[in-house]
Structures are given as C-alpha cells and as structure tokens.
Amino acid sequence: MNPLWKNTEIREQLKVITKEIAPDLVLTNAYYLHSIFKKWMTGNIWIKDDRIVYAGKEMPKIDPSTDIVNLTGKFVVPGYIEPHVHPYQLYNPQTFADYSAQHGTTAFLSDNLTLFLALENEKAFSLLDQLNQLPFSFYWWTRFDSQTELIEEDQLFTTKAVGEWLDRPDVLLGGELTGWPKLMAGDDQMLYWIQQAKMGLKKIEGHFPGASEKTLARMRLLGADGDHEAMTAEEVEMRLLHGYGVTLRHSSIRPDLPALLEGIIEKDIGVFDKLMMTTDGSTPSFHLDGVMDLCIKIALEAGVPAIDAYLMASYNVARYYNVTSLHGVIATGRYANLNILDSLDNPVPSGVISKGVWLKKDGEKTQSLPKIDWSAMPDLSLDFELTEDDFQFSMPFGLEMVNDVITKPYSVSVDTNNGNLSADHEESFLMLLDKQGKWRVNTLIKGFATNVSGFASSYSNTGDIILIGKNREDMWEAFNQLKLMQGGIVLVENKKTICSVPLPIGGIMSNLPMEQLIEQELSLKAALKERGYTKGDAIYTLLFLQATHLPYIRVTQKGIYDVMNKKTLFPAFMR
C-alpha cells in the first residue's frame, strides 16, 4: 500500500488550486468542524478524485462535469474512524466496512490474526491490497502471539513473518498484547518485535484488563502505548496518569461506555481530547444500533460536548496514530472522508463521502463497496470421518462457564458412557477437533445450555472445530452438516438441522451482506436461548473457548490448559 498520490495526480490537484481545471465535487456553504481549531467554520470544500484539495472561503473553477452540492443547513464532520476492529466476527472485512460506511465509519484499524493464522504473508497481503482499492480506509495491527496455545506457534510467529507485517505502511501498530505475561516474564522475542515496531514509529496496543498500577507502569517501560481494557473511570485515570492512549470500549460483551463516561464526567477528568472509542469486534446484531455513530450518540447523551464527541471518533484517533495528514481533518490534502449530518444530536449521517465517493446521499445508500476475491483463503475441507472412538468422554473434570467467556474447572459427576446427557442439568459434551482430523480434545462443559442436543462450529479462535451437545448422535450429525456446508455454525436436534450460519470463507467468515447475516445470527441466538443458553453472546463463547488471555482453564490444540499455572493438564488425543 502506498498512501501517497502519484506525481501526475498531485500535478492535477495543483491545477485545481490555480483554477486551470475544475474539481470533481464542490460542497458549497459547508458548515464544517475544523479539528485543529475545534470550531465550526463555513466554507467550500473542493474534492478531486479521493482528496480534499481545498477547504475555505474561495470557489474553484466550475465546468459542466463538476458536481456542486449546497450544504446549507447541514453539518459536516470528518469520517469516523474505528480504532480497534476484529473484522471477522462472522462478517468479513469488506461486508463490515460496507455496513459501517452507511453509519459514517469510513476507516478501520483492524486485527490481522485471522489472516495471519490462515495464510502465508504473500497471500494475506494480496487481500490487503485488494481492500486498499476500495473507497474505504483500511489500516491494520499485527499480532505478536496467538492468544491461545498452538501446536506450532513458534513456526508461525517468526521474526521474518512478523517483520514483514511491520514493514507495511498500512500497519500502524503492534499488538494487542494478549500474551503480555510472557513479555513481562522475559520473552525477548516479543520485546524485539515491540522494539522493531517502535523503530518504525508504530504504536503498541496493550490488553490489560484489571491491571494494577505497577503492571501498567512495567508494561509502559516495555513499550505499550495504549490500552482499551479500562472498565472504570478510575482505571481510565490510571492509564492517563502513566501516559497511555486510552480507548473507551462499548462492545457486545463489554458495553462499558455509558458508565465510563458518567464516571469521567463525575470525576471531572477534562481530557476528552485524549480519549478514543471502540466497539471492539462486536458480533453482527450488536451493530443494529450502529458502529462509531453509536459511540458518539452515547457520548452526546452522557453530556460530552458535541465537538469533543465527534473528535473522539475521528481526529483523536488520527492524531494518536500519526495519520492526521490523511485523516481526521477537513482541510487541504486529506482523504475526502466526510459525513454530512442533518443535526448535531444525530451522528448517523444522511450523506457519506469516502475517498471522494458518495456511498450515501440524502439518507439513501448510493453505492456498495465492491466485493473482493476471497479465493486466497483456503476452503474448509473436512475430508475425514468421525468414529465411535472419538466420542469417549471420560475426563475427571470439565470446563464451567462463569460468564460468556470465562471458564473454570469443575469435577464431573455425571455418567458419560451411554452417549446421552440429561436435560435436568447444565452439563454437555465438548470436543475440540483439529480441522485436519489429526487430534481431538474431549471434555464436558457446564453452563452452556440444558437442551442443546447437537451443535457444531468452525468459527473459533483457530478455525478448528467445536462440537457441543447432550446427544452424541446429534453432535455427529452436526459435524456432518458442517462438512456439507464447508464451514459455519449448525444446530441439530433429532438428526434435523434447526438453524445454521454458513461461513464459506475459510469456515470462519460469511459472504452475506451484514443485514442478512444479522438475521441468521439472531435466529441462531434465539434457538440457543430456547434450549437453555443463558449467557450474553454465544458467538463470543465459541471464539474464546481457546483463548488463553482469559482465566482460568481453556481447551486448546495442545489439550486442556491451565492459564494461571501455564501448563497443559490433559494433552490432546491423537486420532
């Protein structure tokens, strides 16, 4: 990716300034937010291709091809920036961007983990290059650990592989540091990657839920620049005290933003210009209420001054990540990423211009983002069969769900020998199965549901297969349906499919528009709730069963893993 314009393009832009040629688009009488002055200004915005070539009092040369739009009575703000996106939560980067743009979010800083685990760098970079051609701004972060226990992690996370990501100019940060305990315990390889990122003037994002002041100070010395895990105003204050960039979170499993802002205002922490906001990889249906526009709305309702609320979702992010030359400012030389509002109280724009392209006008969608070619992602081909031996569940203890995502050990007391478990309790069979069919981990899970008979998912932290259920025949059938779908999530009862979410892109992502995917997700969640799933977000339960950045016990490729003591309690069975 090259964010700079070609010499010939710049020469053309200069001719617009000298009025030798006309711009493509002129927004007249624009009442726009100037991020530097933190004031509203009235003027005319000239746009050539994807760039603002002028914003001020003057009018350009006009010719018949110039699109002139009078914005009298409207408010113009910079396109919103989502600084912490996991763009694989059933959706894919293109479909989520297409949906987000209609809500005014025109730039993402995205996690690379799914692409990093699934593809060699060359193929992953080809996807990034395709995404860069869209009228949307994609930036990335690169991981330094897998946030689980992989069998061959040291062969994936190499200095060469990580370094190639850090060399890309569209990679703005390293992290998030889910593996920070290893770093603090003396992992010099991770420290080397952090130093390499710092040499490239990139940020390092932490992952420090509940961290003490001492931990925050130590991680700051090790190179962490920011963190998005503050859960109280006091934790926000402590991070600011130690010079962290602080991103306030409002997500499907941590909808913290209203309480955080209430506390910040009560404590009179007058530093809105140092704060950012994120939806942190929420599942599809959460976004029925919006993306960054939702965060701005919450900020406005909490009493944050309007200018600060809008800049928290635009300029503050651009300034923190050193990209104000391209984003977050309505001024000469920036990308033409603009939101046109009918009212300051409503951050959902009636008009969206992204890289100079109208994606929404007069409240109507005018263009979808072009689709990209996902063929580089390997298809999920489960070319093996399950056997009776695979359904042996004789573990002395299992995983008990404390909430959506945290699991602790418990002693198994139910009889697991006949292949059926009673609906009178919350215990179910759980199998993590290698997508290549080489190994499996069998245990029980308590607290998932009382009446889920057969359930299979290729959506997981690593893309390996999760099987859950009360009845092994229905679990088996769910696996077979998953094979036919070539990936997805499926719920089976009495050997019949109740509902499913196909995920044909690598078995991890849907290719459907967000609106259709949301319908599928809501149907699945409703069916699980009817069968006794009582937690908040089943999709996150699937994603984090393997996640070793959360306590206390996890099911991983290596087996059942004790997070606190950093050891495998029961190894995986080779098939």
Side-chain angles (χ1 to χ4, degrees):
M1 172 235 179
N2 184 357
L4 301 177
W5 286 267
K6 295 175 183 176
N7 290 357
T8 52
E9 293 173 315
I10 294 170
R11 295 292 179 195
E12 287 291 292
Q13 294 158 5
L14 288 169
K15 288 178 183 177
V16 175
I17 296 290
T18 57
K19 301 189 180 182
E20 297 171 64
I21 63 173
D24 300 313
L25 172 62
V26 183
L27 306 176
T28 63
N29 300 309
Y31 189 62
Y32 65 97
L33 176 57
H34 199 291
S35 307
I36 309 297
F37 289 102
K38 291 184 71 173
K39 290 181 180 177
W40 296 95
M41 296 187 171
T42 302
N44 306 304
I45 302 168
W46 313 357
I47 296 168
K48 173 68 174 169
D49 297 323
D50 58 356
R51 197 177 195 190
I52 299 171
V53 295
Y54 175 87
K57 298 294 185 184
E58 292 288 320
M59 277 293 286
K61 177 183 178 179
I62 301 294
D63 69 23
S65 66
T66 308
D67 185 14
I68 303 171
V69 179
N70 187 337
L71 294 182
T72 299
K74 307 287 187 181
F75 301 84
V76 186
V77 295
Y80 310 145
I81 306 171
E82 223 306 1
H84 195 87
V85 183
H86 303 273
Y88 326 99
Q89 311 296 45
L90 305 184
Y91 41 73
N92 69 65
Q94 181 269 339
T95 52
F96 187 41
D98 184 62
Y99 181 87
S100 299
Q102 295 301 306
H103 291 263
T105 300
T106 56
F108 285 170
L109 276 77
S110 295
D111 185 2
N112 79 328
L113 184 61
T114 294
L115 300 181
F116 191 92
L117 294 180
L119 297 169
E120 296 173 354
N121 282 353
E122 186 176 349
K123 290 184 177 180
F125 295 161
S126 73
L127 291 174
L128 267 59
D129 292 341
Q130 284 188 63
L131 290 166
N132 282 333
Q133 299 304 310
L134 304 182
F136 193 93
S137 299
F138 284 92
Y139 298 96
W140 301 86
W141 76 77
T142 186
R143 294 279 190 153
F144 299 150
D145 68 276
S146 66
Q147 75 179 29
T148 185
E149 289 293 304
L150 296 180
I151 292 172
E152 298 179 336
E153 179 151 346
D154 58 343
Q155 295 177 36
L156 280 170
F157 286 85
T158 65
T159 292
K160 180 178 184 295
V162 172
E164 287 173 354
W165 277 87
L166 288 173
D167 285 342
R168 286 186 64 95
D170 52 353
V171 172
L172 301 185
L173 66 156
E176 58 189 286
L177 295 179
T178 52
W180 62 267
K182 289 192 297 186
L183 176 66
M184 213 148 63
D187 186 324
D188 280 337
Q189 185 176 54
M190 193 179 292
L191 183 56
Y192 174 81
W193 293 334
I194 290 172
Q195 299 283 46
Q196 191 176 357
K198 294 285 190 178
M199 289 291 287
L201 301 179
K202 301 175 192 292
K203 299 288 188 181
I204 300 296
E205 178 69 7
H207 182 98
F208 310 138
S212 67
E213 183 177 21
K214 182 179 177 183
T215 293
L216 290 173
R218 292 170 71 188
M219 290 308 304
R220 193 75 182 88
L221 291 175
L222 285 162
D225 294 294
D227 182 64
H228 58 284
E229 294 286 335
M231 291 177 277
T232 65
E234 289 73 23
E235 291 184 350
V236 171
E237 196 170 24
M238 192 188 306
R239 282 157 175 75
L240 291 168
L241 179 69
H242 290 281
Y244 278 85
V246 177
T247 305
L248 308 178
R249 177 170 51 189
H250 192 68
S251 73
S252 50
I253 57 171
R254 292 292 325 183
D256 294 333
L257 188 58
L260 286 173
L261 289 171
E262 181 184 352
I264 287 166
I265 289 169
E266 278 182 7
K267 292 172 74 69
D268 195 23
I269 308 173
V271 290
F272 293 118
D273 60 335
K274 299 296 188 292
L275 299 175
M276 299 166 278
M277 301 182 286
T278 180
T279 58
D280 193 12
S282 294
T283 45
S285 57
F286 180 84
H287 292 292
L288 282 168
D289 294 325
V291 191
M292 292 311 296
D293 56 307
L294 171 62
C295 294
I296 297 168
K297 183 173 184 286
I298 291 168
L300 292 170
E301 290 173 348
V304 176
I307 288 176
D308 283 313
Y310 283 98
L311 296 185
M312 284 166 70
S314 56
Y315 178 66
N316 293 6
V317 181
R319 184 183 59 202
Y320 177 74
Y321 286 105
N322 302 316
V323 290
T324 55
S325 62
L326 298 172
H327 297 280
V329 187
I330 301 175
T332 298
R334 277 70 180 184
Y335 276 127
N337 292 354
L338 303 166
N339 288 332
I340 298 160
L341 310 177
D342 294 339
S343 148
L344 274 187
D345 297 333
N346 181 10
V348 181
S350 59
V352 177
I353 299 170
S354 183
K355 289 187 176 176
V357 176
W358 285 100
L359 299 180
K360 185 179 187 181
K361 196 172 186 181
D362 299 326
E364 298 294 329
K365 185 174 186 176
T366 54
Q367 183 171 321
S368 295
L369 298 184
K371 293 185 177 180
I372 71 164
D373 179 6
W374 286 104
S375 60
M377 286 288 288
D379 291 334
L380 182 66
S381 180
L382 302 172
D383 55 356
F384 59 93
E385 302 292 333
L386 295 183
T387 67
E388 295 281 343
D389 287 344
D390 289 319
F391 287 90
Q392 304 301 313
F393 294 86
S394 56
M395 282 290 178
F397 71 85
L399 283 67
E400 181 176 358
M401 293 176 62
V402 177
N403 58 27
D404 310 40
V405 298
I406 292 176
T407 48
K408 67 180 183 181
Y410 83 99
S411 296
V412 172
S413 57
V414 298
D415 180 6
T416 62
N417 290 323
N418 70 356
N420 286 286
L421 295 175
S422 167
D424 296 335
H425 56 73
E426 288 189 311
E427 293 174 68
S428 304
F429 298 118
L430 168 64
M431 185 191 306
L432 180 69
L433 182 65
D434 175 32
K435 59 188 172 186
Q436 309 295 336
K438 296 177 182 176
W439 51 262
R440 60 179 169 82
V441 182
N442 290 31
T443 185
L444 267 69
I445 186 166
K446 183 177 182 179
F448 182 80
T450 51
N451 288 283
V452 169
S453 187
F455 183 78
S457 174
S458 59
Y459 176 81
S460 66
N461 183 285
T462 57
D464 293 312
I465 310 305
I466 296 168
L467 301 180
I468 299 175
K470 295 279 190 176
N471 179 285
R472 74 172 190 178
E473 296 296 327
D474 280 341
M475 291 170 67
W476 206 329
E477 178 61 22
F479 173 78
N480 288 333
Q481 291 301 317
L482 197 65
K483 284 178 69 171
L484 292 173
M485 290 164 57
Q486 287 194 294
I489 304 172
V490 60
L491 177 64
V492 168
E493 200 165 274
N494 298 321
K495 294 194 174 181
K496 292 183 179 178
T497 297
I498 302 299
C499 62
S500 64
V501 180
L503 300 174
I505 303 173
I508 299 166
M509 296 178 280
S510 173
N511 57 7
L512 293 179
M514 277 281 284
E515 292 82 359
Q516 295 176 42
L517 178 60
I518 287 169
E519 289 180 13
Q520 290 184 348
E521 181 207 4
L522 289 174
S523 295
L524 175 69
K525 286 181 172 177
L528 288 173
K529 186 177 180 180
E530 287 171 9
R531 288 158 180 80
Y533 182 89
T534 59
K535 306 299 189 290
D537 196 327
I539 305 304
Y540 258 98
T541 297
L542 298 173
L543 182 66
F544 280 167
L545 274 175
Q546 299 162 276
T548 54
H549 67 292
L550 294 169
Y552 295 90
I553 185 172
R554 300 280 138 182
V555 55
T556 75
Q557 291 186 356
K558 292 183 178 179
I560 298 176
Y561 185 79
D562 180 341
V563 174
M564 309 308 278
N565 294 305
K566 299 180 177 59
K567 64 180 181 180
T568 301
L569 301 176
F570 290 93
F573 294 97
M574 300 310 292
R575 297 180 72 245

